[in-house]
Amino acid sequence: MSGQAYALLTALLAACGVALWWASPRMPPDGRMPIVWGRWPWRRRRTARSGAAATLEACELLAAELSAGRPAGEALAAASEQWPALSPAAEAFALGGSVPDALRGVAVSLPGAGELRVVAGAWQVAHHSGVGLASALDRVARGIRARRRSRRIVESELASARATARLVAALP
C-alpha cells in the first residue's frame, strides 16, 4: 500500500471515529446509563404518532359511547379495552379516584399521548360544571384532528428544507 493510500485510509478511519464519538449518547446528569444505539429518531416519531392516533381513537370512542347514553365508567372501561394504556383511568374511576389525574399520568408516561391532557381537562370541567362530557369530548376530538392536519401541513412544507439541510451537512 502506498503512502498516499495509507494516509487516506487513516484520515477516513479518524473521521469515522470522530463521527461515532459525536453521535454517541452522552451520560445524563442523573448518572443513569444512556439509551444506546437502536433508538433512532424515526422510531421515536413512529411511536409518538401511534400514541397520538390511539389518543384520538380513544377520545372519539369515549365521545361516541357517552353520546349513545352509556355511563362514563362503562365508556371508559370500553376505551381501556380498546387501548390498554387507559386502564389506570378506568381503575381510578372504579375506585372513586381522580380520572383527570390518571389521564394526565398516562399523557406524561406515553410518547405521543400528550393530547390526553386536553381530554383530562375536558373531563374535569365537565365534572365540576355539569356540562355534557360527550359534547366536550367531541369538541376535543375535533380539535385534535385539526391540530394533526395543521401539523401534517407544516411537516410537508418543512420536508424540503430538512432534506436540503441534510445534504449540505453531508458535503465537505
Side-chain angles (χ1 to χ4, degrees):
M1 182 156 53
S2 71
Q4 198 174 27
Y6 182 74
L8 182 63
L9 181 63
T10 304
L12 182 65
L13 288 175
C16 287
V18 168
L20 285 173
W21 174 80
W22 185 261
S24 67
R26 306 298 188 269
M27 183 67 78
D30 59 0
R32 293 181 300 157
M33 285 300 293
I35 297 174
V36 193
W37 302 100
R39 291 299 252 170
W40 301 99
W42 57 84
R43 287 186 184 164
R44 285 192 300 266
R45 283 192 298 267
R46 188 180 334 143
T47 304
R49 278 191 210 111
S50 68
T55 301
L56 178 60
E57 289 174 11
C59 185
E60 289 174 338
L61 178 65
L62 279 170
E65 293 285 331
L66 291 169
S67 294
R70 288 185 78 179
E74 291 179 19
L76 196 54
S80 69
E81 288 174 8
Q82 176 114 11
W83 190 32
L86 287 180
S87 59
E91 290 172 6
F93 186 87
L95 297 174
S98 174
V99 174
D101 289 341
L103 288 172
R104 287 184 189 105
V106 172
V108 169
S109 66
L110 289 178
E115 299 288 347
L116 276 178
R117 292 184 308 234
V118 181
V119 174
W123 192 291
Q124 190 168 7
V125 167
H127 177 72
H128 289 296
S129 68
V131 175
L133 183 58
S135 63
L137 290 177
D138 187 47
R139 282 185 294 231
V140 167
R142 279 188 273 142
I144 291 171
R145 272 188 251 113
R147 281 190 292 278
R148 287 179 74 187
R149 275 193 305 270
S150 298
R151 194 173 299 125
R152 278 194 304 264
I153 289 170
V154 168
E155 285 177 3
S156 68
E157 293 293 330
L158 290 176
S160 63
R162 286 185 183 135
T164 304
R166 285 186 192 117
L167 177 69
V168 169
L171 293 175

